[in-house]
């Protein structure tokens, strides 16, 4: 979960919120919103072996509903992103 408040000199304050929730080992659901300008996003991430597939949909102010897809393939002994994040968070 991530929450931030930002304020630029000539703009109104904006609140941003995002959450990434792991349903099972290989599946993550994501959701986020921002108050100024008012936008939202939602997505899904699938992490299996050396493959990561990410999909997101968000409302763009000029383009309307916009879709993004990302594919990551890990070569060598590199751990998947979710495992690297877990190992960094569990450090003492």
């Amino acid at each position: 979960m991530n929450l931030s408040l930002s304020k630029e000199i000539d703009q109104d304050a904006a609140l941003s919120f995002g959450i990434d929730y792991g349903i099972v080992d290989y599946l993550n659901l994501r959701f986020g919103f921002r108050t100024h300008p008012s936008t939202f996003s939602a997505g899904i991430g699938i992490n299996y072996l050396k493959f990561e597939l990410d999909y997101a949909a968000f409302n763009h102010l000029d383009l309307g509903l916009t879709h993004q897809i990302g594919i990551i393939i890990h070569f060598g002994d590199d751990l998947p992103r979710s495992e690297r994040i877990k190992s960094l968070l569990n450090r003492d």
Side-chain angles (χ1 to χ4, degrees):
M1 183 170 71
N2 194 359
L3 180 68
S4 70
L5 179 65
S6 60
K7 171 73 173 95
E8 295 185 26
I9 294 173
D10 59 343
Q11 300 288 326
D12 292 337
L15 178 67
S16 300
F17 172 80
I19 190 165
D20 183 336
Y21 181 70
I23 300 292
V24 292
D25 286 341
Y26 304 109
L27 182 66
N28 288 41
L29 295 180
R30 300 175 179 125
F31 174 77
F33 71 86
R34 183 178 170 106
T35 59
H36 184 73
S38 180
T39 60
F40 72 90
S41 62
I44 187 170
I46 300 170
N47 305 304
Y48 185 71
L49 298 175
K50 296 191 178 282
F51 300 94
E52 295 182 29
L53 175 65
D54 293 313
Y55 168 78
F58 62 96
N59 68 325
H60 189 278
L61 296 177
D62 296 325
L63 302 175
L65 185 63
T66 305
H67 305 272
Q68 289 183 334
I69 296 175
I71 299 172
I72 298 172
I73 302 171
H74 295 274
F75 296 97
D77 295 330
D78 192 23
L79 292 173
R81 178 180 59 192
S82 60
E83 294 300 319
R84 289 192 315 267
I85 292 170
K86 286 178 187 177
S87 68
L88 290 171
L89 293 176
N90 290 330
R91 287 188 177 173
D92 293 330

